[in-house]
Amino acid sequence: QVQLVQSGAEVKKPGASVKVSCKTSGFTFTGYYMHWVRQAPGQGLEWMGRITPNSGVTNYAQKFQGRVTMTRDTSISTAYMELSSLTSDDTAVYYCARLSPPITYWGQGTLVTVSS
Amino acid sequence: EIVLTQSPGTLSLSPGERATLSCRASQSISSSYLAWYQHKPGQAPRVLIYGASNRATGIPDRFSGSGSGTDFTLTISRLEPEDFAVYYCQQYGSSPPYTFGQGTKLEIK
């Protein structure tokens, strides 16, 4: 069955970077876009961007341009999202997701806490 | 970038009542690429409606979607206790970004 398993919770200081991984199984990794979505406490879902695993081409939301880097390792069917220059506003649960409505699969979420 | 604005922000209703949620886009989007999600705490979001009006597999027929262009609606005909959650619309057209609306919280009155 399709699974997206994310790395564990992180605590970072302001100004630092965080890299979250998303290991996939149960489908052909290179056949589907991989998206990243976050949800800050008390806030809604926010689409951050996507990567095309086959080519590595990325598309980022304007808000995150210059601060986010999405990569992948096709040999281990894993996607990565790195966010730099963290502030307290980046405290959120970060999800990887295969979004092809009506078929969607989500990782379990990774809590990133930014605190001094 | 297309902005999706959902209204109301919070909707307080009782079980058995009808819920009408709105999603308005800042520019016209193809109906083929408008989805509605239900999100409960601690769970992954679940697709209810795709292509503006198509129910996803396993979604009860009390959920329906309609609309085109810039105005879309999610209707829940008779609320069940398990329907109280946050609902998001999302546009997932051929070109990113795949923006979400800010959400409508459906709460028990």
Side-chain angles (χ1 to χ4, degrees):
Chain A
Q1 74 280 23
V2 172
Q3 286 192 308
L4 287 71
V5 180
Q6 298 182 224
S7 48
E10 302 262 14
V11 179
K12 296 293 182 180
K13 293 194 181 303
S17 297
V18 68
K19 190 171 186 177
V20 179
S21 67
C22 173
K23 182 167 179 57
T24 72
S25 60
F27 66 98
T28 303
F29 179 67
T30 53
Y32 298 89
Y33 298 114
M34 191 59 59
H35 300 255
W36 290 88
V37 175
R38 77 176 187 179
Q39 184 174 35
Q43 303 299 309
L45 300 174
E46 186 171 31
W47 186 84
M48 300 180 68
R50 73 175 186 186
I51 185 167
T52 307
N54 196 34
S55 63
V57 171
T58 54
N59 303 100
Y60 301 138
Q62 194 170 1
K63 174 177 179 177
F64 300 102
Q65 289 275 3
R67 247 189 359 119
V68 69
T69 303
M70 296 177 186
T71 57
R72 88 292 187 219
D73 184 338
T74 57
S75 68
I76 55 172
S77 300
T78 298
Y80 303 91
M81 187 283 300
E82 183 170 21
L83 189 62
S84 62
S85 302
L86 294 169
T87 71
S88 57
D89 290 342
D90 295 314
T91 293
V93 177
Y94 290 77
Y95 295 96
C96 60
R98 206 187 95 179
L99 298 180
S100 307
I103 306 299
T104 64
Y105 296 99
W106 297 72
Q108 82 276 20
T110 296
L111 176 61
V112 175
T113 302
V114 183
S115 174
S116 55
Chain B
E1 178 173 316
I2 295 176
V3 176
L4 298 179
T5 302
Q6 292 186 239
S7 61
T10 302
L11 188 56
S12 300
L13 294 170
S14 300
E17 291 192 292
R18 181 185 186 90
T20 303
L21 287 66
S22 173
C23 175
R24 177 162 291 178
S26 60
Q27 56 187 279
S28 183
I29 60 176
S30 167
S31 299
S32 301
Y33 302 116
L34 192 286
W36 288 93
Y37 293 79
Q38 179 191 67
H39 194 198
K40 295 181 179 180
Q43 299 182 17
R46 177 172 74 145
V47 174
L48 303 172
I49 301 290
Y50 67 99
S53 61
N54 303 290
R55 265 189 307 277
T57 301
I59 302 304
D61 61 7
R62 64 180 181 274
F63 292 92
S64 64
S66 63
S68 63
T70 60
D71 289 296
F72 300 88
T73 301
L74 173 69
T75 302
I76 310 171
S77 59
R78 290 177 316 280
L79 286 166
E80 297 287 343
E82 62 267 27
D83 298 336
F84 292 92
V86 181
Y87 292 83
Y88 297 93
C89 57
Q90 185 201 22
Q91 68 92 15
Y92 57 102
S94 57
S95 299
Y98 291 179
T99 47
F100 289 93
Q102 83 279 18
T104 290
K105 181 180 181 179
L106 180 55
E107 65 177 24
I108 299 176
K109 187 174 182 179

